[in-house]
Amino acid sequence: MSNLRFQALNAVLTRNIPEVKPPAVKVSDYYSSNVFDKKKMKEFLSKEAFESISNSINLGVPIDREIAEQVASAMKAWAISKGATHYTHWFQPLTGTTAEKHDSFFEPSGDGGIEKFSGEALAQQEPDASSFPNGGIRSTFEARGYTAWDPSSPAFIIGSTLCIPTVFVSYTGEALDYKAPLLKALNALDKAAVAVAQYFDKSIEKVNASLGIEQEYFLVDLALYNARPDLYLTGRALFGHMSAKNQQLEDHYFGSIPERVIAFMQDLEIEALKLGIPLKTRHNEVAPSQFECAPIYEEINLAIDHNQLLMDLMDKVARRHNFKVLFHEKPYAGINGSGKHNNWSMITNTGRNLLAPGKTPKNNLMFLTFFVNTIRAVYEYSDLLRASIASVSNDHRLGANEAPPAIISIFLGSQLNDVLDEIETSRVTSKMKQESALWTNIPKIPQILLDNTDRNRTSPFAFTGNKFELRAVGSSANSANPMTILNLIVADQLNKFKVEVDKLLKKGEKKDVALMTVIKKYIKESKAIRFEGNGYSDEWAQEAEKRGLSNIKTTPKALDVLVAEKSEKLFEETGVYSKRESHARHEILLENYYKKLQIEARVMGELVNNVIIPAAIAYQTELITNVKGLKEIGLGEETYSAQIDLIKKISTHVNFIKTNVHDMIEERKKANVIEDAREKAIAYDEKVKSYFDPIRYHVDKLEQLIDDTRWPLPKFRELLFLK
Ligand code: ADP
Ligand code: MG
């Protein structure tokens, strides 16, 4: 008797650990070797072409045809020298994964053929856009969308393919991807932040947002994964009784990493470093079989491309080690989920981190300006930030007593919290005539903040010394979405700040007094969003309600704000989304939500009917045979009463499961005929999803009753503890 589970268990026990060898001893000898970076550009391009392209990248000006032609030719020469035969435009459609369409360099002709790659092929490609989500922007008959080169993110080679990072837009110019709106938001932030930074330092000409992404994930043996259709179809275990041992001993976090996992991590690091992804840390996470990796922070557009690339890479490298990476936010109920902390700050072309407290009071005024504007922005648009992290899988995490709640709040740490309180109650007024009086009213900000900034892990948005950390992002998400919103709202806030300060300056106010006056006002206005306590507690939910903060627990409703008038205005004013685009995105997100629930509901039905109930009945039949036998040889009831009890219990659970799956399918049918995407998503959430937990409860009871050798699905203890 060998069901798939036992075959899989057998496979795990006989695994070999593949040998991992770095291409050189020193990382610097192979770092970025598969990237057409600045160094290679310099080597393969003429001096003029190199300067022209660098200039275009730094200032974001369009690249002219002639230069594109030269860059294409250089890229081709470099790629072919590295063994590449194909090229592709690499982009991030709204499916949440990355996409590519490979074309060969080779072009046959009468006398054989040559390798070709034109400036035009570099700049633009036309993948058939009809099968990517577009939220009704394009009907399928006009299936033309195109990808356009993003020169600010360097091309790279994977296998034998040259990959060119691109944006993906519809023929009518609307964004169909994550990158296009992100670039627009970054541009908005750059302009707004430079304008404000110039109050302090005229030499500041550019502000880049920077981002360091911590990526959490689970590893599971590939054979076990393949024996669980729920895992490979939905990314999470729809059933499974909690393992007797799980994370209660807290013995996994920062524990020693198992040998097989170390090999995977080393292999991953080598591949990532070759692609110029500066992976730096690796460690165990809270849950068994949960890990984290994080690169050093980079310019935000690049950091996001790198995170998307890293996720692809993790998947590929894991295969070589017979692992599967689970990016789902909550693959195992009852066990900690996974997130993707987004560490964000703003850095000037002069190398100054605008969120790092300075040495002098004057520097601190600059810090306070950007710090307080960020807080004010999050306060003003907390619902948009909440919407930007909403997804069907992240709903399992947010507010589930282990991840930040669905209430957006900001943690500052006691030192900075005190500083803001002091300013709020200080006597700074626009009537202050003497600047010296002002400085005595600006509290001292310690340059090195005590480590308490990182202790509060329950906050969705925390200040951690010289950056803000958005912790509510889901592990499977593309960070571009929340980062587009964050940069956009801070840009908008800085624009408003400048208007207010300029107004005071016009009235003849001294600059520093004007700045401080508006800062003080913002501190007052945004006070409700600051929270230093335990974000997981019930008291906080009550307190937040009193403060008027929203607590929207599920995605379909959290997304409403995307099409609210205030958001439309913000999107259109900053040019990040047209009304058509934001409405299309809203639609896509809702579709994604109910489609994923639809798949989960179907998988649940199939597994119950074809796998779980048959296993339960087979065991029950065995018990019945046993009871009959005992009776036949003349033994009394006391010898088979336990079996009768089991037989009855199995019937109870089977009946419950059977009826509830039936009822769930009926609800699904009703939901499926709803036209409106929002109503459909809500029906799936409230009417269909509500069956999941009760069905699961009874399936998990069966798992505990039935003969272990008959249970068909790998159990939690096996998924989580077999190394
Ligand atoms: P943890 O939050 O787990 O303590 P670290 O302090 O090591 O982790 O940092 C997490 C991430 O934040 C890393 O990717 C790091 O490079 C990044 N980071 C550090 N400083 C900044 C900054 N100024 N802007 C953006 N990211 C930063
Ligand atoms: Mg962190």
Side-chain angles (χ1 to χ4, degrees), residues 231-245:
L231 276 186
Y232 65 73
L233 291 177
T234 73
R236 74 181 184 105
L238 298 174
F239 306 116
H241 196 280
M242 178 75 91
S243 167
K245 175 182 192 283

Side-chain angles (χ1 to χ4, degrees), residues 214 341 343 454 457 469:
E214 300 164 60
H341 292 182
N343 296 272
D454 201 39
R457 300 229 157 236
E469 184 168 338

Side-chain angles (χ1 to χ4, degrees), residues 11-19 221 260 263 320-323:
V12 180
L13 297 178
T14 53
R15 292 278 184 227
N16 294 318
I17 300 178
E19 198 192 341
D221 187 275
R260 249 186 98 187
R320 290 210 283 268
H321 295 259
N322 290 299
F323 277 130

Side-chain angles (χ1 to χ4, degrees), residues 210-214 281 283 292 294-298 341 343-347 353 454 457 464 466-469 471:
S210 62
L211 181 65
I213 299 179
E214 300 164 60
T281 55
H283 60 77
E292 179 189 298
I296 295 170
Y297 70 93
E298 300 177 282
H341 292 182
N343 296 272
W344 173 89
S345 71
M346 295 170 274
I347 298 181
N353 177 355
D454 201 39
R457 300 229 157 236
T464 48
N466 60 1
K467 61 190 191 282
F468 277 101
E469 184 168 338
R471 295 173 173 149

